Amino acid sequence: MAASHRLPAAIRAPFEARTWRALLYVLIGLPLGICWFVLSVALVSTGAGLLVTFLGVPILAGALAMCRGFGAVERARARGLLGLDVAAPDPVRGRTGGALSWMGAMLKSGASWRHLLYAVLHMPWAVFSFSVTVALWTWGWSLFTYPLWQWVFPTWVGQDGIQLYGDATHSFYLDAPFELAVTSLIGLVFVLVGPWVLRGLVSVDRLLVSGLLGPSRLASRVTELESDRGVVVDTAAADLRRIERDLHDGAQARLAALAMDLGLAKEKLARDPQAAAVLVDEAHGEVKLALQELRDLARGIHPAVLTDRGLDAALSAVASRCSVPVSVDVDLPARPVPAIEGIAYFTVSELLQNVTRHSGARRAWVDVWRTGDRLMLQVRDDGVGGAVVGDGGSGLAGLSERVGAVDGVLAVDSPAGGPTTVTAELPWRA
């Protein structure tokens, strides 16, 4: 395998499995394309012609359903031979579940009409790609191997070789050693060029399959937004649980202890003022700790400095609390909308916490800038590396989901041994 990869791609191409799968795809595509075209055009034409009567509606709906079946075959063929995985469009369902409702839904389905368009367009393209591929393939390998089978002509045909020219008085045959070598060389050129032409042809098939046989962009976008909405709801619920847990385990417990200490101090105030003073002093310390925990909790929800002064000041405050020196560079022409600004703040804050806990870094850098309609965040450190997004539930995976919920992207570059660079890209809305 290693030796084959040392060969140039042009030499490997005729023998790669990818090429032979593409060849099989084109060869099968012609008979299937003719079948899809004939059946689709015949039934759709019949249904359209009978629309003046009720019979045209079920025939036309059935033709569209048949085209969707053809599309399922084509998606499976593209998946198996081209490695192109195209999701199936949503099934057609009527509002009431009856036959008439289903037929109406089928006739209104844009995906069904795209399948019909594929059946119509694919046939002429299949004829063209089949003709070009078979011509290149047969001529290429026939000419390349011509010296091996040239003996067939004098033995069985009664002529010296392939005839290039001939009339009543003159004829020219490819039978001399030099002519055999030149013919084989020309065939070799066809053999080497053929796979690349074939790949160009099947790239058009890829476009047809992905563009016409999959879900529409609107449907894909709706599915993506539904997924993002679920992520946002889950994230909000997790944040609420975290806030409740922090209040219950932290400030609430301290305030309960404070109430008990003040109750004891009240009882001892008349009998033992000195002991009461000690309890009041301890309660004072508990108040300070509770206030600090509440301040930290409020900062975790949405820091006041972010609202008042923006990302530069808020990220500088986060960097000052980091255990390693952090350089912050924020270059923004204006402030983004609060939602994006908040996500940017918490993204950098979470990444700096990872630097503190896991990286073993001696220094870190935070850069924030705007490029076009995107807000770019980058956190770098000189630590040990090895950070991965991982499965759902890990810190970076949750952060990636939160960024993705607003059409953002999180990219992690963290080779073993470091350094680590995490780049987040968010939409810019001023």
Side-chain angles (χ1 to χ4, degrees):
M1 181 65 69
S4 66
H5 283 296
R6 286 196 292 266
L7 294 174
I11 298 178
R12 295 199 315 267
F15 308 100
E16 289 179 334
R18 170 188 174 185
T19 301
W20 291 97
R21 288 195 300 267
L23 176 63
L24 181 60
Y25 182 89
V26 171
L27 296 180
I28 297 175
L30 179 61
L32 289 180
I34 294 174
C35 178
W36 305 157
F37 180 86
V38 171
L39 291 176
S40 300
V41 171
L43 283 179
V44 170
S45 301
T46 303
L50 292 175
L51 279 179
V52 293
T53 67
F54 179 75
L55 290 176
V57 175
I59 293 176
L60 191 56
L64 293 177
M66 180 188 65
C67 291
R68 291 175 72 98
F70 297 159
V73 175
E74 289 296 302
R75 285 192 299 270
R77 194 164 65 94
R79 186 183 307 113
L81 297 178
L82 301 183
L84 176 64
D85 192 4
V86 177
D90 294 333
V92 175
R93 296 186 179 91
R95 292 183 179 181
T96 63
L100 289 177
S101 177
W102 175 83
M103 286 187 287
M106 181 65 70
L107 294 175
K108 295 177 182 178
S109 171
S112 301
W113 291 101
R114 289 199 307 273
H115 281 66
L116 172 62
L117 181 61
Y118 176 87
V120 174
L121 295 179
H122 180 255
M123 193 277 290
W125 174 252
V127 172
F128 174 78
S129 58
F130 181 92
S131 303
V132 173
T133 300
V134 170
L136 277 176
W137 221 258
T138 54
W139 277 102
W141 286 101
S142 298
L143 295 179
F144 178 54
T145 59
Y146 179 59
L148 301 179
W149 57 273
Q150 185 268 342
W151 59 271
V152 171
F153 287 93
T155 304
W156 301 101
V157 183
Q159 63 185 43
D160 296 332
I162 296 177
Q163 185 178 12
L164 286 184
Y165 170 78
D167 56 21
T169 58
H170 299 86
S171 59
F172 182 78
Y173 297 96
L174 299 176
D175 55 351
F178 176 75
E179 295 164 356
L180 295 177
V182 172
T183 303
S184 182
L185 183 60
I186 294 174
L188 177 61
V189 173
F190 282 130
V191 167
L192 297 179
V193 170
W196 302 101
V197 174
L198 175 61
R199 292 178 185 181
L201 294 173
V202 296
S203 66
V204 178
D205 288 279
R206 288 173 173 270
L207 293 175
L208 289 173
V209 172
S210 59
L212 297 178
L213 300 184
S216 66
R217 291 186 178 181
L218 179 60
S220 300
R221 183 59 177 163
V222 169
T223 303
E224 180 181 352
L225 290 176
E226 289 177 348
S227 175
D228 291 344
R229 182 182 62 182
V231 170
V232 171
V233 171
D234 292 342
T235 302
D239 289 340
L240 289 175
R241 289 193 299 270
R242 176 181 58 82
I243 293 170
E244 189 276 336
R245 184 177 62 251
D246 291 344
L247 283 173
H248 182 272
D249 297 341
Q252 182 178 346
R254 291 193 181 280
L255 290 175
L258 171 63
M260 295 177 60
D261 290 343
L262 289 177
L264 292 174
K266 181 180 178 180
E267 293 177 358
K268 294 184 176 183
L269 184 60
R271 293 182 289 103
D272 190 354
Q274 187 174 1
V278 172
L279 289 174
V280 170
D281 185 64
E282 292 177 354
H284 183 253
E286 290 291 332
V287 169
K288 289 183 178 179
L289 291 175
L291 287 175
Q292 181 62 40
E293 290 183 356
L294 288 173
R295 192 178 297 113
D296 293 340
L297 182 60
R299 186 184 296 117
I301 297 173
H302 195 87
V305 66
L306 178 62
T307 302
D308 298 337
R309 300 173 58 190
L311 275 175
D312 196 355
L315 294 181
S316 297
V318 173
S320 66
R321 298 192 297 270
C322 193
S323 62
V324 299
V326 180
S327 298
V328 178
D329 182 14
V330 178
D331 182 14
L332 296 177
R335 293 182 63 175
V337 295
I340 299 299
E341 192 174 54
I343 292 177
Y345 169 81
F346 288 111
T347 298
V348 175
S349 178
E350 181 72 21
L351 292 174
L352 288 180
Q353 289 184 26
N354 289 343
V355 171
T356 300
R357 297 171 184 170
H358 310 298
S359 71
R362 292 173 296 178
R363 189 165 184 81
W365 297 264
V366 175
D367 296 296
V368 181
W369 72 98
R370 177 188 174 185
T371 300
D373 60 348
R374 309 298 283 180
L375 174 63
M376 307 297 296
L377 316 170
Q378 190 173 82
V379 177
R380 297 174 288 128
D381 67 71
D382 58 358
V384 297
V388 293
V389 174
D391 299 326
S394 67
L396 286 177
L399 197 59
S400 177
E401 291 177 352
R402 177 174 293 193
V403 171
V406 292
D407 287 340
V409 179
L410 185 75
V412 179
D413 180 17
S414 182
T420 296
T421 301
V422 182
T423 304
E425 180 180 331
L426 298 171
W428 174 268
R429 302 187 186 101

